[in-house]
């Protein structure tokens, strides 16, 4: 039986046999042809089934557009924080959810338009002969294709194949989905152009646009999709900042419909321009709103002061009263104006401090200049914190929690701290100015107190009225300035190249690339398969493999069988195959002479596993001896699976087993063949104990009697790699021939053979290399002995022998792709 030590799966002496691998590769040329055909077929199918992908781009510039009406007194500019910050902010905005929601809603991109082609649904947005207007407050069929077909100049047909008694609908005003019942499984109805369709699952109006006569009976498929998913799909814009010009943005999109991409890119920029201009005007709007609220209260004060001054004039002679009090009046007006200006600044600072401490949204802060604050740090930082607050509010619903959002938060907090410091410092200086103004007013008031009472009252009323009028005029001027700034504002974003379909932009599929890839893949996969077979099979490929694995002599090389039976030498005695067996005969005679073996000679043939051509070689070696008029007999000692009798068309009723058990004599089991000088003893009935029969004395008696009658005795034995019968028979043999088959015998089996000979289990061993093809057309079948279905000994079965199993199936695969003769 097998010894685990006999197997060596990794031979360190083995090296890569490039020549053998190349020969092996050439022998599988059909695999490469098939691989190329399959690869090119797949590439062709990919090319025709895949939709064309286009790329469309638009280019915009971001600049600092200074307001031509802006002066140092207005300070109502919307401060972005520098051009680089603007570019980064716009790049982020273009990919934000809030921005893309506006674009999708404006274009109604949640409505798809398709045409059914042979392989796919083609997006035909911008190419349909009609325009759909939906009622966002009502339900629309969700996610299902609606077939629309023009049947006349003023009518169209709607067809909807429903799958159940209910269907899902969506209402785009709030993106709410619901379920509605359906009466019929298929809905089909004709409607007038311009007619409002009111169905439980559909509310729209269809109007013609770009209608042509060839649009009749053309079926357009309409589908309503999820608003949120559509927005998510649109957020994947490719936005690139130009490396050479940092204020230039290139916005690109890829898709199958160029009309859809052109509309989307141009609309997304136009929406961005409008939003940016609105945000830019936010500063001025906040100021105008604040001034309007202030003017309302100031107007009341001015009116009341005027009424009081008018009433005083009715009861007094104003000309007499004004004498001597005009100088005081002018001085008080001047000092009151200074005091009011300082108080308004302090009031703004108080409001700013409270706003910064108690609020998180600073986008509604009014400009510091409405209070007359001209401190540059405060003005700049208020502009910055408003801009950042607007950016944060835009990103709140799209990238909240991201790095960009956190960066904005950190910047806002930093500017807020700086503003609070600026406010505290500036407040101290204002407090000094306020105290100085109060001192001057107190001095004038002390002088006025010495005037007559009527003059004091007149000065008081005049002072109040003039102060209110001065403040009111100042605020009117500020409002006018803010309005001018707002109206004169222009967007910092400008189109350089609007998106446009100019006929190019094809990105894929790259048909030529696909075919080139198919060529290389079609070669690579068969090459890997050959590589796998070459290395994983680990079979003997050539003579070099034998010489590298064993020192045993190679006595002969046998080619491929080209006859219907195994009797190739007898059927074609002049063939090259016959000459190879005659060469083996000559080598055997040399061995017999060298070993001084006279008289009858005994020769045993064995192999590693089934399917290596052992029986084929036994028959033809016996034939060449018989054809040289030497009395030859071939003995079938494969007692487990007899098959020697097939080629001689004789029965296997009597044989070796009958003699060994003493049932028949030797003469009774010997059978003549149609080949002169060649007899045969078949194995006979399958015994339950083949190994015990061979070990018995009857085997020695049979060999002894045969030596008296024949010149050459050929023993056809079972594979030595599977059972031990051949080892027991080696004691009766003068020479043992070990059959190795090209591309079939595993290399580790040669290690097994070496171990057998070293232990003396096999004597005078030589090797026959069977099935050899010089061009390596491996896998050509012999028609004999394959699929050795042994049921040897203690439950041992072929299916449990991995080597035999692998060899059998490998032969079947190779045979299928081979050009050899069977």
């Amino acid at each position: 039986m097998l010894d685990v030590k006999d197997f060596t799966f990794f031979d360190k002496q083995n090296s890569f046999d490039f020549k053998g691998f190349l020969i092996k590769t050439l022998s599988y040329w059909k695999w490469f042809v098939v691989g190329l055909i399959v690869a090119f077929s797949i590439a062709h199918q990919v090319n025709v089934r895949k939709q064309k992908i286009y790329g469309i781009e638009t280019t915009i510039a971001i600049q600092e557009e200074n307001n031509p009406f802006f002066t140092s007194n207005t300070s109502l500019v919307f401060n972005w924080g520098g051009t680089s910050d603007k570019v980064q902010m716009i790049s982020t905005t273009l990919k934000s959810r809030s921005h893309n929601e506006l674009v999708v809603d404006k274009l109604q991109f949640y409505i798809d338009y398709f045409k059914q082609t042979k392989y796919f649904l083609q997006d035909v947005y911008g190419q349909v002969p009609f325009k759909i207007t939906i009622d966002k407050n009502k339900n629309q069929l969700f996610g299902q294709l609606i077939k629309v077909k023009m049947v006349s100049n003023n009518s169209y047909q709607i067809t909807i194949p429903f799958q159940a008694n209910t269907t899902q609908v969506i209402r785009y005003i709030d993106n709410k989905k619901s379920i509605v019942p359906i009466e019929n499984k298929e809905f089909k109805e004709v409607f007038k152009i311009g007619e409002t369709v009111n169905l439980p699952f559909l509310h729209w109006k269809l109007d013609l646009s770009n209608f042509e006569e060839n649009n009749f009976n053309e079926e357009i498929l309409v589908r309503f999709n999820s608003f949120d998913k559509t927005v998510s799909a649109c957020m994947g814009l490719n936005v690139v900042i130009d490396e050479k010009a940092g204020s230039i943005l290139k916005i690109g999109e890829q898709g199958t419909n160029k009309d859809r991409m052109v509309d989307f890119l141009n609309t997304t920029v136009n929406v961005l321009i409008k939003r940016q201009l609105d945000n830019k005007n936010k500063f001025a709007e906040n100021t105008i709103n604040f001034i309007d609220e202030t003017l309302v209260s100031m107007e009341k004060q001015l009116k009341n002061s005027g009424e009081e001054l008018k009433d005083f004039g009715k009861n007094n002679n104003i000309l007499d009263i004004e004498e001597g009090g005009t100088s005081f009046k002018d001085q008080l007006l001047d000092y009151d104006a200074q005091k009011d200006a300082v108080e308004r600044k302090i009031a703004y600072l108080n409001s700013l401090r409270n706003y910064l401490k108690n609020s998180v949204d600073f986008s509604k802060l009014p400009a510091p200049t409405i209070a007359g604050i001209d401190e540059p740090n405060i003005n700049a930082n208020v502009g910055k914190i408003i801009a950042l607050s607007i950016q944060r509010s835009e990103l709140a619903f799209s990238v909240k929690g991201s790095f960009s959002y956190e960066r904005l938060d950190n910047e806002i907090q930093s500017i807020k701290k700086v503003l609070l410091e600026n406010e505290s410092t500036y407040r101290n200086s204002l407090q000094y100015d306020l105290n100085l103004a109060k001192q001057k007013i107190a001095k004038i008031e002390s002088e006025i107190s010495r005037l007559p009472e009527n003059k004091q009252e007149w000065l008081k009323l005049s002072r109040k009225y003039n102060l209110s009028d001065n403040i009111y005029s100042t605020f009117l001027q500020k409002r006018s300035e803010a309005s001018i700034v707002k109206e004169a504002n222009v967007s910092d974003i400008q189109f350089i190249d609007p998106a446009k379909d100019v006929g190019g932009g094809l990105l894929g599929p790259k048909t030529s690339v696909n075919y080139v890839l198919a060529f290389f893949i079609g070669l690579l996969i068969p090459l890997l398969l050959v590589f796998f077979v070459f290395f994983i099979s680990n079979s003997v490929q050539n003579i070099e493999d034998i010489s590298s694995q064993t020192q045993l002599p190679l006595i002969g090389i046998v080619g491929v069988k080209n006859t219907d039976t195994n009797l190739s030498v007898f059927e074609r005695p002049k063939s090259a195959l016959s000459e190879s067996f005659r060469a083996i005969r000559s080598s055997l005679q040399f061995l017999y002479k060298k070993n001084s073996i006279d008289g009858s000679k005994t020769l045993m043939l064995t192999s590693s596993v089934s399917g290596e051509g052992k029986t084929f070689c036994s028959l033809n070696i016996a034939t060449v001896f018989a054809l040289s008029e030497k009395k030859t007999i071939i003995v079938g000692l494969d007692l487990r699976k007899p098959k020697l009798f097939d080629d001689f068309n004789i029965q296997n009723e009597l044989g070796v087993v009958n003699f060994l058990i003493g049932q028949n004599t030797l003469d009774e089991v010997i059978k003549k063949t149609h080949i002169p000088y060649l007899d045969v003893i078949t194995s006979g009935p399958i015994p339950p104990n083949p190994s015990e029969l061979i070990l018995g004395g009857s085997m020695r008696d049979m060999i002894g009697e045969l030596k008296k009658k024949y010149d050459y005795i050929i023993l056809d034995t079972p594979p030595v790699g599977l059972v031990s019968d051949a080892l027991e028979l080696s004691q009766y043999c003068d020479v043992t021939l070990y059959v190795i088959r090209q591309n079939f015998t595993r290399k580790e089996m040669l290690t097994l053979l070496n171990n057998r000979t070293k232990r003396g289990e096999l004597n005078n061993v030589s090797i026959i290399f069977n099935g050899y093809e010089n061009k390596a057309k491996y896998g050509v079948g012999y028609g004999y002995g394959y699929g050795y279905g042994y049921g040897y000994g203690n439950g041992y079965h072929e299916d449990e022998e991995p080597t035999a199993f692998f060899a059998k199936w490998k032969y079947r695969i190779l045979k299928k792709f081979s050009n050899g003769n069977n």
Side-chain angles (χ1 to χ4, degrees):
M1 297 301 292
L2 297 179
D3 189 346
V4 176
K5 297 180 180 179
D6 293 333
F7 291 94
T8 304
F9 292 100
F10 300 96
D11 188 350
K12 295 182 180 179
Q13 295 179 352
N14 286 343
S15 60
F16 178 68
D17 182 7
F18 181 77
K19 179 181 178 182
F21 179 70
L22 180 61
I23 294 174
K24 183 84 168 182
T25 302
L26 295 176
S27 71
Y28 286 107
W29 64 270
K30 281 188 175 181
W31 286 21
F32 290 93
V33 172
V34 172
L36 288 173
I37 292 174
V38 172
F40 277 110
S41 299
I42 293 174
H44 175 71
Q45 291 298 320
V46 169
N47 289 339
V48 299
R49 291 174 183 271
K50 201 169 185 179
Q51 296 193 61
K52 293 182 178 180
I53 305 297
Y54 299 93
I56 299 291
E57 280 190 349
T58 182
T59 307
I60 62 174
I62 296 94
Q63 301 176 354
E64 285 284 0
E65 293 293 346
N66 292 325
N67 195 312
F69 293 96
F70 170 66
T71 68
S72 60
N73 294 324
T74 54
S75 299
L76 297 177
V77 168
F78 181 76
N79 193 319
W80 291 76
T83 302
S84 61
D85 288 341
K86 278 195 293 187
V87 172
Q88 195 63 45
M89 182 265 185
I90 290 173
S91 176
T92 305
T93 301
L94 286 169
K95 297 181 180 182
S96 67
R97 173 168 290 279
S98 57
H99 172 79
N100 282 283
E101 283 178 350
L102 297 175
V103 179
V104 169
D105 184 64
K106 185 173 183 178
L107 293 173
Q108 292 189 351
F109 263 16
Y110 44 79
I111 304 177
D112 282 336
Y113 302 89
F114 297 113
K115 280 185 183 177
Q116 180 65 62
T117 65
K118 183 177 179 181
Y119 298 111
F120 50 78
L121 287 175
Q122 181 181 357
D123 184 358
V124 290
Y125 170 89
Q127 305 162 26
V128 294
F130 52 81
K131 178 183 178 182
I132 291 176
T133 304
I134 67 169
D135 187 346
K136 295 182 181 180
N137 294 293
K138 296 182 180 179
N139 293 330
Q140 310 295 340
L141 183 63
F142 177 72
Q144 188 166 345
L145 292 174
I146 303 170
K147 299 178 182 178
V148 179
K149 183 168 63 176
M150 304 300 301
V151 295
S152 70
N153 289 330
N154 60 357
S155 62
Y156 65 96
Q157 178 181 279
I158 295 177
T159 305
I160 307 173
F162 291 108
Q163 303 297 323
N165 294 325
T166 60
T167 189
Q168 192 174 26
V169 294
I170 185 172
R171 188 174 60 191
Y172 284 109
I173 191 66
D174 54 7
N175 295 320
K176 183 179 180 181
K177 298 173 186 176
S178 58
I179 303 294
V180 297
I182 301 300
E183 294 182 0
N184 300 315
K185 285 295 183 67
E186 183 178 61
F187 175 85
K188 182 181 290 187
E189 192 170 337
V190 176
F191 295 91
K192 296 292 184 181
I193 298 295
E195 175 187 358
T196 300
V197 176
N198 286 308
L199 299 170
F201 47 83
L202 194 62
H203 297 84
W204 76 21
K205 184 176 70 171
L206 188 147
D207 297 304
L208 292 182
S209 62
N210 302 321
F211 179 75
E212 299 177 2
E213 292 296 329
N214 57 4
N215 294 134
F216 283 128
N217 296 320
E218 183 181 46
E219 195 171 71
I220 304 296
L221 303 176
V222 180
R223 183 175 64 192
F224 292 93
N225 299 309
S226 167
F227 181 85
D228 292 332
K229 289 185 178 180
T230 305
V231 171
S232 297
C234 293
M235 291 168 62
L237 276 178
N238 183 27
V239 182
V240 179
I241 301 173
D242 196 306
E243 295 181 356
K244 297 181 180 179
S247 61
I248 302 298
L249 273 182
K250 292 182 179 179
I251 309 168
E253 188 180 19
Q254 298 180 8
T256 59
N257 186 295
K258 292 194 280 186
D259 292 334
R260 181 184 289 273
M261 291 186 289
V262 167
D263 283 355
F264 180 79
L265 289 176
N266 289 333
T267 303
T268 196
V269 174
N270 286 328
V271 170
L272 182 67
I273 290 173
K274 183 180 182 304
R275 294 184 71 195
Q276 189 269 335
L277 185 57
D278 290 343
N279 290 336
K280 194 172 186 180
N281 289 330
K282 189 74 174 177
F283 207 5
E285 289 176 357
N286 292 344
T287 302
I288 292 172
N289 293 334
F290 180 83
I291 292 175
D292 287 342
E293 293 176 1
T294 306
L295 285 176
V296 172
S297 61
M298 291 304 301
E299 187 175 1
K300 292 181 180 180
Q301 293 181 18
L302 183 61
K303 183 178 180 181
N304 293 333
S305 299
E307 291 292 336
E308 291 177 356
L309 188 60
K310 184 178 180 181
D311 291 341
F312 181 83
K314 289 179 180 180
N315 302 321
N316 297 277
N317 188 350
I318 299 300
L319 295 177
D320 293 337
I321 295 175
E322 285 181 345
E323 291 182 6
T326 305
S327 61
F328 292 117
K329 173 184 174 182
D330 293 339
Q331 291 182 34
L332 278 174
L333 179 60
D334 184 41
Y335 293 150
D336 281 340
Q338 293 179 17
K339 176 188 173 187
D340 180 73
V342 175
E343 287 178 341
R344 279 191 286 113
K345 292 179 181 180
I346 293 176
Y348 179 87
L349 293 180
N350 292 334
S351 175
L352 177 63
R353 174 173 285 275
N354 292 332
Y355 209 102
L356 292 175
K357 288 186 175 181
N358 301 322
S359 179
V360 293
D361 180 13
F362 310 110
S363 60
K364 297 181 180 181
L365 276 173
T369 52
I370 63 172
I373 296 177
D374 55 1
E375 208 283 325
N377 291 328
I378 292 180
N379 287 333
N381 287 327
V382 167
K384 287 181 180 179
I385 202 168
I386 291 175
L388 292 172
S389 186
I390 292 173
Q391 292 181 43
R392 184 177 65 175
S393 64
E394 289 180 345
L395 301 180
F397 299 103
S398 55
V399 293
K400 189 171 184 179
S402 67
F403 174 77
S404 298
Y405 191 83
E406 292 179 357
R407 181 178 62 82
L408 286 175
D409 262 348
N410 293 334
E411 289 185 22
I412 289 173
Q413 294 300 319
S414 299
I415 294 175
K416 187 170 76 170
K417 291 179 180 179
V418 173
L419 260 178
L420 290 172
E421 291 293 332
N422 293 337
E423 179 270 336
S424 179
T425 303
Y426 190 57
R427 180 191 294 275
N428 293 333
S429 66
L430 288 177
Q431 193 64 46
Y432 174 80
D433 293 339
L434 180 61
N435 294 334
L436 185 61
K438 286 181 178 180
Q439 290 176 6
K440 292 179 180 179
I441 292 172
K443 183 178 179 181
I444 297 297
E445 286 179 343
S446 65
E447 294 180 6
I448 292 175
S449 63
R450 292 193 288 267
L451 295 175
E453 289 185 1
N454 58 348
K455 286 190 177 184
Q456 291 185 31
E457 183 66 21
W458 173 77
L459 285 173
K460 178 181 178 183
L461 295 176
S462 299
R463 176 184 178 187
K464 183 177 180 182
Y465 176 80
N466 290 334
L467 180 60
S468 298
D469 182 61
N470 183 64
I471 295 174
Y472 189 81
S473 299
T474 301
F475 273 98
L476 281 178
Q477 181 184 358
K478 295 292 185 182
R479 191 189 190 287
S480 176
E481 291 175 353
S483 298
I484 292 173
V485 168
K486 178 182 177 183
E487 294 301 325
N489 270 337
V490 291
S491 176
D492 293 340
I493 303 170
Q494 296 180 357
F495 268 119
I496 295 180
D497 279 326
K500 184 179 180 180
D501 178 14
V502 293
L506 181 64
L507 300 178
K510 300 290 187 181
T511 56
S512 57
V513 174
N514 288 344
Y515 285 125
V516 171
L517 289 175
F519 175 77
F520 286 107
I521 293 174
L523 293 178
L524 179 61
I525 293 178
L527 187 65
L528 292 176
L529 291 175
V530 173
F531 189 86
F532 177 82
V533 171
F534 185 79
F535 285 97
I536 299 302
S537 64
N538 197 29
S539 59
V540 176
Q541 307 289 329
N542 46 48
I543 298 173
E544 287 77 7
D545 287 345
I546 298 175
S547 61
S548 66
Q549 297 291 326
T550 181
Q551 299 299 319
L552 296 174
L554 179 65
I555 199 174
I557 300 175
V558 178
V560 177
K561 177 178 76 70
N562 50 16
T563 57
D564 294 333
T565 67
N566 288 329
L567 300 174
S568 299
V569 173
F570 182 75
E571 293 182 9
R572 295 185 182 181
K574 295 183 179 181
S575 66
L577 186 65
S578 299
E579 290 301 324
S580 65
F581 282 108
R582 291 190 182 97
I584 293 174
R585 178 187 62 188
S586 300
S587 298
L588 286 172
Q589 290 173 344
F590 174 77
L591 288 176
Y592 291 138
K593 184 177 180 181
K594 179 181 178 181
N595 295 326
S596 302
I597 300 174
D598 297 323
S600 180
K601 285 90 174 174
T602 305
L603 176 66
M604 181 180 75
L605 282 88
T606 187
S607 64
S608 302
V609 294
S610 61
E612 293 173 307
K614 170 180 53 62
T615 300
F616 170 73
C617 292
S618 299
L619 289 171
N620 287 283
I621 290 174
T623 301
V624 294
F625 280 122
L627 291 178
S628 62
E629 298 184 353
K630 298 293 183 181
K631 294 186 65 177
T632 307
I633 187 169
I634 181 169
V635 183
L637 290 175
D638 187 353
L639 305 184
R640 292 173 172 80
K641 191 174 182 181
K643 55 183 176 178
L644 189 64
F645 54 89
D646 290 340
D647 296 288
F648 296 111
N649 294 321
I650 58 179
Q651 299 297 321
N652 191 35
E653 296 176 354
L654 296 177
V656 174
V657 173
N658 301 91
F659 175 81
L660 294 179
I661 64 176
Q663 188 177 13
N664 295 91
T665 63
L666 188 60
D667 292 334
E668 291 175 344
V669 299
I670 295 176
K671 298 175 183 178
K672 298 291 183 180
T673 68
H674 60 282
I675 300 175
Y677 296 98
L678 179 60
D679 294 339
V680 63
I681 302 178
T682 61
S683 59
I686 299 175
N689 54 346
S691 297
E692 287 73 11
L693 289 177
I694 291 174
L695 288 171
S698 299
M699 178 59 69
R700 184 180 301 277
D701 296 338
M702 183 182 72
I703 297 298
E705 292 185 29
L706 291 176
K707 284 186 176 182
K708 296 176 183 178
K709 297 181 179 183
Y710 294 95
D711 297 319
Y712 291 95
I713 303 168
I714 312 298
L715 305 182
D716 180 34
T717 65
V720 72
L722 298 178
V723 293
S724 60
D725 294 6
L727 301 178
E728 305 298 339
L729 294 170
S730 64
Q731 58 182 311
Y732 306 116
C733 302
D734 301 316
V735 173
T736 299
L737 295 184
Y738 198 91
V739 180
I740 294 174
R741 181 182 162 196
Q742 186 184 40
N743 200 42
F744 194 92
T745 302
R746 300 288 293 274
K747 291 180 181 179
E748 58 263 25
M749 286 302 177
L750 296 180
T751 303
L752 171 66
L753 175 62
N754 291 332
N755 294 335
R756 298 291 195 196
T757 55
K758 286 180 181 178
R759 293 196 293 262
E761 296 175 354
L762 294 175
N763 301 317
N764 295 330
V765 180
S766 297
I767 294 174
I768 293 178
F769 193 20
N770 184 32
Y772 178 74
E773 288 184 286
N774 191 34
K775 294 184 179 180
K777 293 182 179 178
Y778 306 146
V780 180
Y782 298 94
Y784 66 98
Y786 299 145
Y788 222 85
Y790 279 14
Y792 291 137
N794 48 3
Y796 200 89
H797 192 270
E798 176 197 10
D799 292 339
E800 298 171 4
E801 173 54 52
T803 303
F805 181 79
F806 180 90
K808 178 182 71 174
W809 282 102
K810 177 190 164 197
Y811 160 72
R812 292 181 180 178
I813 296 172
L814 295 176
K815 181 179 179 182
K816 183 176 181 181
F817 292 96
S818 174
N819 279 337
N821 297 321
N822 292 313

